[in-house]
Amino acid sequence: MPAGFPDFRLGTVLATSFTATLTERRGDAVERIPTPHRLVDWLAVNGLAVDSCTAAQLELARELREAIHAAATAGALQEALPASAVQVINDRSTQGRAAAVLTPEGKRRWQLGSSQVEDALSVIAADAISIIAGERDGKLALCASPTCQAAFFDTSQSRTRKWCDMNTCGNRQKKARFNANQRKSSL
């Protein structure tokens, strides 16, 4: 990754990985796609390579990201989905041209209709629809970190995962608990 930009948080679920392009939402927010080129980078890393991105397309992407986050958060809390978020997700899903194709290894891969950002956003929106609608095995949850609160899709066997990412939020929380216990025992 280019120097000066925070690393991407990559997960196994496209839609919630996309919402992780803005982290620490309840603390000092970290924007991981601050420029159109960084969105191009993120899409390429996630198998949705596009030729270029404009500032307007970056804004469409951020609007989708926030809509997915709002709808996934509502889903995790078992609340009504925000109508405006549903509209944005549906609009992005229908505005692109992409198709699911089968690889020789028997895996699904998305093939964009063109190398335009809108096609990639339609794939992300379709993925969000599948997890929010409950079509996939797993459950929506919110990160237990008080500064993060990211929505994530828990596919663990017990469905009791607490953190969006064990290597960041989970590690930070466990370290804080360990340090607090060390201070208590030294008194």
Side-chain angles (χ1 to χ4, degrees), residues 103-180:
T103 68
E105 298 80 27
K107 302 286 184 184
R108 180 184 72 174
R109 180 180 59 80
W110 287 99
Q111 181 174 319
L112 303 182
S114 69
S115 57
Q116 302 237 351
V117 170
E118 289 81 1
D119 290 353
L121 296 180
S122 74
V123 172
I124 297 167
D127 191 60
I129 291 168
S130 75
I131 63 171
I132 295 167
E135 296 175 349
R136 296 195 359 221
D137 190 26
K139 80 170 195 168
L140 286 165
L142 297 178
C143 183
S145 168
T147 60
C148 181
Q149 294 286 291
F152 65 91
F153 194 63
D154 183 3
T155 57
S156 67
Q157 187 171 4
S158 64
R159 307 291 191 262
T160 57
R161 217 172 94 198
K162 292 182 178 194
W163 297 287
C164 64
D165 184 20
M166 188 60 208
N167 292 325
T168 53
C169 291
N171 191 32
R172 190 178 318 132
Q173 294 300 309
K174 287 184 173 192
K175 184 177 178 182
R177 189 170 53 240
F178 175 80
N179 289 337

Side-chain angles (χ1 to χ4, degrees), residues 11-82:
T12 58
V13 179
L14 183 64
T16 53
S17 292
F18 187 57
T19 64
T21 60
L22 179 66
T23 55
E24 298 303 313
R25 291 171 180 268
R26 304 282 189 266
D28 292 326
V30 177
E31 176 61 73
R32 294 173 190 277
I33 54 169
T35 65
H37 187 70
R38 282 297 280 174
L39 177 59
V40 171
D41 291 345
W42 188 91
L43 292 170
V45 167
N46 285 280
L48 300 170
V50 298
D51 289 337
S52 63
C53 178
T54 66
Q57 289 170 320
L58 177 60
E59 285 310 308
L60 288 175
R62 287 178 176 165
E63 181 184 37
L64 176 61
R65 174 186 69 193
E66 296 313 303
I68 294 169
H69 185 263
T73 297
L77 297 172
Q78 299 181 348
E79 297 175 352
L81 301 178

